[in-house]
Amino acid sequence: MRNAPYLDGIDPFAATVRGLTEPDPVRAALRAAGPLVQVDAPAGGRAWIVTDDALAREVLTDPRITKDPAFAPPGWDRDTAGLEQTAAAQPSLTTLDGPEHTALRRAHAPLLNAQRIRAQSGRVHTLARQLLTELATGRTTVDLMAGFTTRYPLTVLLDLLGIPLDRVDQAADSCRQMFGTEPGAQGRAIAALTELAAAGLGEDGRGLAAELRDRVPAHTSPDQLRYHLFGLIFAGQLTTDAALGVLIARALATGRHRGTVDRADTDALIRETLRQHPPAPFTLWRFTTAETEFAGTRLPARAPVLVDIQGISNDPARSPGPDLVFGAGPHFCIGAQLAHLELHAVAAVLRTDFPDARLTVPFTELRLTGIGGLQGSRLTALPVALHG
Ligand code: HEM
């Protein structure tokens, strides 16, 4: 058994700013090095990155690989690594595996399945329309990254969960604080978002928060329930925010928001946008529970493993078929249906209500900012004249 090649001097976790149309050279270098590649991890030691689609699907379904941060390399600093607490300290969809994870997924799944989300379609279109109309009123140009892409997914999520919408701005501030650099910023942001989530859990709560409360396993504590709600709010905002920016930019640049565009065309635009610019460029950290072999390569116990979703999605040799934009296996994104609805609704509202909308800078001048780590990039700004 051999060791995976080590790529010295390549940092896939660096903060970046680059043009929307510029390819990411790091991804090509990772792919060229092999299906499983070692790099320096941000929190010290090595990380193993999977760059091959088939191997990624094996890794994402292999019970020898766990999400539990208790298996992180000894000495890793949680903040530097961007890790949650251990599954014992903070059981959640993203820290548990096996039967406990399955039980929690069962509690969540019916709330966010295709049928339930389809039933929200009218409401989500109304929210998209309201927010864009408010933004357009009295303004010639608006920066949709500042005024829309964060607020809209949060508005949809809070509305679904049954949390009053006057808390949207507070939720947006806390989501931004999740990446604050002052000591303790992330802990304070999580505390603020869990407190906010509790607003959906009152006696008269009628949204999905109250429904989840009635469905989670009986041993779930109130704090744990609020953390599950925090997980939905944060994961749902972060990813959809980034996706919306690039989707709107591409729709306006290609005129795909005008005229008679059918659903299949919008589907294709969304799929292509997410594939080229996956909002989650990596999966979350996983760790080997014992020494393991993959594709003839040895991984030590407690090896941190990531799937390079962005590199795999943009592999020129990739065969057509399902992509990894929402992950695969038991941790497949539970919000995928909702994300699709949100993106569709915006494309539809631009078409019906803002057919003259246009970018006020050339598409090729739009820039993506990535804060580094496992986080994806979002457009630095998206200046748009909504009424042309
Ligand atoms: C375009 C938007 C989105 C993208 C690209 C995306 C991507 C992903 C990916 C790749 C994973 C798997 C991570 C892994 O296996 O390590 C994931 C999991 C997850 N996503 Fe999403 N997501 C999106 C929207 C949403 C929304 C709207 C919600 C909330 C309703 C959400 C909630 C979650 C949760 C809770 C998990 C963890 C599931 C588990 O571990 O069982 N996501 N997402």
Side-chain angles (χ1 to χ4, degrees):
M1 232 184 335
R2 53 196 164 75
N3 287 325
Y6 167 57
L7 268 187
D8 198 4
I10 290 275
D11 183 3
F13 309 112
T16 52
V17 181
R18 63 171 205 283
L20 177 56
T21 51
E22 280 172 44
D24 179 349
V26 169
R27 277 22 224 220
L30 286 172
R31 260 195 324 262
L36 192 57
V37 181
Q38 292 187 65
V39 296
D40 290 320
R46 297 280 171 85
W48 279 255
I49 300 191
V50 181
T51 67
D52 172 77
D53 190 290
L55 186 60
R57 290 174 199 277
E58 266 184 60
V59 164
L60 295 177
T61 49
D62 192 306
R64 296 171 300 173
I65 299 198
T66 176
K67 300 279 300 252
D68 187 351
F71 288 86
W76 258 27
D77 173 58
R78 265 201 316 120
D79 289 343
T80 315
L83 272 188
E84 284 176 274
Q85 296 195 53
T86 63
Q90 191 70 79
S92 72
L93 285 176
T94 44
T95 58
L96 292 170
D97 288 290
E100 284 183 282
H101 176 256
T102 310
L104 203 49
R105 281 288 289 214
R106 282 210 186 105
H108 283 75
L111 315 186
L112 294 162
N113 67 19
Q115 196 188 356
R116 286 297 290 274
I117 294 303
R118 242 189 334 266
Q120 294 296 329
S121 177
R123 177 71 180 148
V124 172
H125 280 73
T126 301
L127 291 172
R129 178 169 293 115
Q130 274 174 1
L131 289 177
L132 284 172
T133 306
E134 270 166 35
L135 263 180
T137 306
R139 294 188 189 90
T140 323
T141 303
V142 287
D143 175 4
L144 293 183
M145 296 312 290
F148 180 69
T149 61
T150 305
R151 295 193 83 232
Y152 164 61
L154 280 172
T155 305
V156 171
L157 281 161
L158 266 49
D159 193 59
L160 265 180
L161 291 169
I163 299 170
L165 294 188
D166 59 7
R167 311 283 300 261
V168 168
D169 287 332
Q170 193 195 341
D173 278 350
S174 300
C175 285
R176 286 187 201 105
Q177 279 309 309
M178 286 294 290
F179 302 108
T181 47
E182 326 78 69
Q186 195 193 65
R188 284 194 296 279
I190 294 176
L193 285 167
T194 48
E195 185 274 323
L196 186 133
L201 293 168
E203 283 297 296
D204 53 346
R206 286 178 203 284
L208 296 192
E211 209 174 317
L212 187 65
R213 175 192 58 208
D214 299 338
R215 293 188 51 88
V216 286
H219 56 75
T220 306
S221 73
D223 278 354
Q224 289 168 356
L225 172 63
R226 288 197 285 268
Y227 190 81
H228 299 328
L229 296 170
F230 149 76
L232 291 177
I233 297 171
F234 182 56
Q237 178 276 321
L238 183 68
T239 44
T240 315
D241 171 290
L244 281 161
V246 185
L247 177 74
I248 297 170
R250 287 172 54 122
L252 297 187
T254 55
R256 296 270 270 280
H257 64 300
R258 289 199 197 97
T260 49
V261 180
D262 64 17
R263 191 175 168 90
D265 196 63
T266 308
D267 274 342
L269 177 65
I270 292 174
R271 202 170 41 249
E272 220 13 52
T273 301
L274 294 175
R275 188 187 64 73
Q276 284 183 22
H277 300 281
F282 290 113
T283 54
L284 300 175
W285 289 112
R286 283 167 171 73
F287 309 98
T288 52
T289 50
E291 187 176 301
T292 310
E293 192 221 311
F294 267 109
T297 308
R298 189 190 75 87
L299 274 81
R302 302 181 75 163
V305 182
L306 289 175
V307 169
D308 182 8
I309 296 178
Q310 186 173 327
I312 292 172
S313 303
N314 287 288
D315 184 349
R318 182 179 168 272
S319 7
D323 57 42
L324 285 167
V325 165
F326 290 98
H331 291 277
F332 182 83
C333 178
I334 202 150
Q337 302 289 342
L338 178 60
H340 272 287
L341 170 59
E342 290 179 52
L343 296 171
H344 261 284
V346 167
V349 168
L350 282 175
R351 206 159 53 239
T352 53
D353 294 42
F354 301 96
D356 298 324
R358 61 179 176 87
L359 296 173
T360 61
V361 296
F363 182 72
T364 47
E365 282 180 20
L366 293 173
R367 304 191 74 69
L368 286 166
T369 302
I371 60 167
L374 304 192
Q375 302 312 319
S377 302
R378 74 194 285 277
L379 287 177
T380 314
L382 179 57
V384 170
L386 279 165
H387 289 304

